Amino acid sequence: MDAARKNAYLYPLMIIGGLFFIFGFVTWAIAVLIPYLQIACELTSIQAMLVSSAFYISYFVMAIPSGYLLKRIGYKNALTFGLVSMAVGSLLFIPAAITRIYAIFLLGLFVQGLGLSILQTASNPYVTILGPRESGARRMSIMGICNGVAGILGPLILGSIVLKDADGLTAALETMAAADKAVVLDELARKVIVPYLLIAALLVLVALAIYFSSLPEVVEEETEGSSETSYSASKKSIVQFPHLMLGVLTLFLYVGVEVIAGNTIIGYGSYQGIALSSAKLFTSMTLFFMLTGYVIGIIGIPKYFSQQQSLIFSALLGIIFIIASQLTSGFVSVLFIALLGLANSLMWPSIWPLAISDLGRFTKTGSSLLVMAISGGAVLPLIYERLAGSLDARQAYWMVVPCYMIIALYALWGHKIRIRKR
């Protein structure tokens, strides 16, 4: 790529990097909201995990409409609309906190997720298209660093506010009269008002900045027409791309595994007898390991290893860490769950380019389906929580092993499948 073309791509990539930072902050703050709302709204473990599900199921609802929205109003307007939607979702936390009504919290998370699904649908193709396809995973890893840094900061910042002295509070609640408990829980619920008010204000400011920016519009022909291949030219439907369909399944499983690793680790730390004041840091530790993996991806792809090789190795590493977590206990076992962040780090940036390869004019539709697969984060954690209830929190992690096996099979075989006319 010549210098002029590289410079033309730099500005839009910087903007997209800022958006990925927002993605990470809002998404991984949910890991803290789960134990926080379990205390504030007096929830069961399954109800608490619905906090994550309400957010991620919105991807399933909005992913396909997001594709049509991009075609109708363009990328820049879609980014603006998505940010404003996220701001609305954040503002819903205010009435939810005042009334301490769990359903309003879930609605706010769902609306946040709707906005984020629009942003994901618009921004991921940007990253893949702005540069050579063979280094797409490298650019995705750079975006992952932006996401990961925010993912580390989000739980740390929010946790320091809403879970401050959570262990003492939980112990005190057990001996309180109902009226006193209600007063304390109301006060706890209101702790999210200021953070989410600030988040909403920031989202509106970024939306305005993008709307009035000179961010170039991704022309339809660039994403679809000019990238038409001999393979895609003969296709009439998106379902005629088996490597994409398998990629959607693979991404669904990967996101589910990633959310399990990040959003259940605080509860797993408590299960291992670790105080909540310490356990609240474990999600940030998971994101730190994920960030480390992104750096490895930037350095190594495609110079030292390919997207396919990184995906195979990552899946095998995930299986090894799960086995290690089962053979250990206490902090060491929790550490191996946190290390899943390292195993998961290069999966998204590897699966995405492999899945949308050769789609031609179907690229946007394929991207929408892949964004829909993020709903795996709504389904698999609930299965984990159900297994944790019937088995225990440690044995429930065995469920991610077959997920990693399927991811490895996609890297070895699934992404290569092409059906051609005879």
Side-chain angles (χ1 to χ4, degrees):
M1 190 191 306
D2 58 57
R5 188 172 176 84
K6 190 175 289 186
N7 289 335
Y9 288 157
L10 182 60
Y11 176 65
L13 279 176
M14 287 176 63
I15 292 178
I16 300 303
L19 290 178
F20 270 82
F21 184 90
I22 293 172
F23 300 167
F25 194 97
V26 173
T27 300
W28 290 110
I30 292 173
V32 171
L33 287 177
I34 291 172
Y36 160 74
L37 288 176
Q38 187 167 6
I39 299 170
C41 296
E42 300 179 280
L43 309 175
T44 65
S45 296
I46 291 289
Q47 288 173 325
M49 199 52 65
L50 286 174
V51 170
S52 173
S53 297
F55 181 82
Y56 284 100
I57 200 64
S58 59
Y59 285 94
F60 183 83
V61 174
M62 195 62 194
I64 296 298
S66 293
Y68 291 112
L69 187 67
L70 287 180
K71 292 179 181 180
R72 187 169 183 83
I73 67 175
Y75 276 78
K76 191 166 82 167
N77 288 335
L79 291 174
T80 303
F81 183 78
L83 286 164
V84 172
S85 299
M86 288 184 68
V88 172
S90 300
L91 289 174
L92 283 171
F93 273 62
I94 298 173
I98 292 172
T99 60
R100 200 157 54 91
I101 296 177
Y102 176 53
I104 303 178
F105 278 114
L106 294 183
L107 178 61
L109 288 163
F110 179 75
V111 174
Q112 276 189 339
L114 290 178
L116 196 50
S117 67
I118 297 171
L119 295 176
Q120 291 274 22
T121 306
S123 60
N124 282 297
Y126 245 125
V127 179
T128 304
I129 293 163
L130 294 177
R133 189 167 294 276
E134 63 271 14
S135 61
R138 184 182 180 185
R139 290 189 301 280
M140 280 286 198
S141 293
I142 294 173
M143 297 301 106
I145 286 181
C146 299
N147 186 282
V149 169
I152 292 172
L153 294 176
L156 285 177
I157 294 172
L158 191 62
S160 67
I161 297 171
V162 303
L163 290 179
K164 186 178 180 181
D165 194 29
D167 298 295
L169 177 61
T170 303
L173 287 170
E174 293 178 1
T175 61
M176 284 184 185
D180 294 332
K181 180 188 283 190
V183 172
V184 171
L185 292 179
D186 286 344
E187 183 180 345
L188 177 63
R190 288 181 174 87
K191 285 187 176 182
V192 295
I193 291 178
V194 173
Y196 276 88
L197 191 59
L198 292 174
I199 289 172
L202 177 62
L203 289 167
V204 171
L205 287 175
V206 175
L208 290 172
I210 288 180
Y211 183 77
F212 291 107
S213 74
S214 57
L215 184 69
E217 187 64 50
V218 177
V219 182
E220 186 81 7
E221 286 73 21
E222 284 186 49
T223 63
E224 300 183 353
S226 66
S227 63
E228 194 73 282
T229 66
S230 57
Y231 177 67
S232 62
S234 63
K235 301 295 182 290
K236 299 186 182 301
S237 169
I238 194 69
V239 298
Q240 294 178 295
F241 297 88
H243 74 285
L244 170 68
M245 296 295 105
L246 290 172
V248 170
L249 172 63
T250 303
L251 204 67
F252 178 90
L253 296 175
Y254 150 69
V255 175
V257 167
E258 181 187 80
V259 173
I260 287 173
N263 286 0
T264 67
I265 193 170
I266 296 177
Y268 184 56
S270 297
Y271 167 80
Q272 290 289 350
I274 299 170
L276 194 56
S277 57
S278 298
K280 69 183 182 183
L281 305 175
F282 291 156
T283 295
S284 293
M285 184 166 65
T286 306
L287 270 292
F288 172 79
F289 287 125
M290 186 173 285
L291 192 62
T292 303
Y294 288 139
V295 173
I296 293 172
I298 291 171
I299 296 172
I301 300 174
K303 187 174 182 180
Y304 299 109
F305 50 87
S306 67
Q307 295 166 167
Q308 178 190 1
Q309 289 170 331
S310 71
L311 191 54
I312 296 169
F313 180 74
S314 295
L316 293 176
L317 203 59
I319 294 172
I320 291 170
F321 289 151
I322 287 294
I323 294 173
S325 74
Q326 301 298 307
L327 299 176
T328 54
S329 61
F331 178 76
V332 176
S333 183
V334 174
L335 178 62
F336 281 117
I337 297 301
L339 280 166
L340 291 178
L342 178 63
N344 295 336
S345 58
L346 296 183
M347 289 188 178
W348 177 281
S350 297
I351 294 169
W352 189 282
L354 292 173
I356 67 169
S357 177
D358 291 337
L359 295 190
R361 68 186 184 281
F362 294 97
T363 298
K364 279 186 178 177
T365 306
S367 297
S368 296
L369 290 178
L370 287 169
V371 170
M372 182 182 286
I374 296 174
S375 60
V379 178
L380 268 64
L382 287 178
I383 297 174
Y384 167 87
E385 202 58 52
R386 182 70 68 179
L387 289 173
S390 58
L391 300 172
D392 62 52
R394 176 162 57 184
Q395 292 185 64
Y397 282 116
W398 280 117
M399 66 164 286
V400 307
V401 172
C403 298
Y404 281 129
M405 289 180 174
I406 292 172
I407 292 169
L409 284 174
Y410 183 73
L412 287 167
W413 167 73
H415 78 280
K416 300 176 183 179
I417 301 176
R418 299 291 188 275
I419 297 177
R420 299 184 183 275
K421 283 188 173 182
R422 295 184 181 277

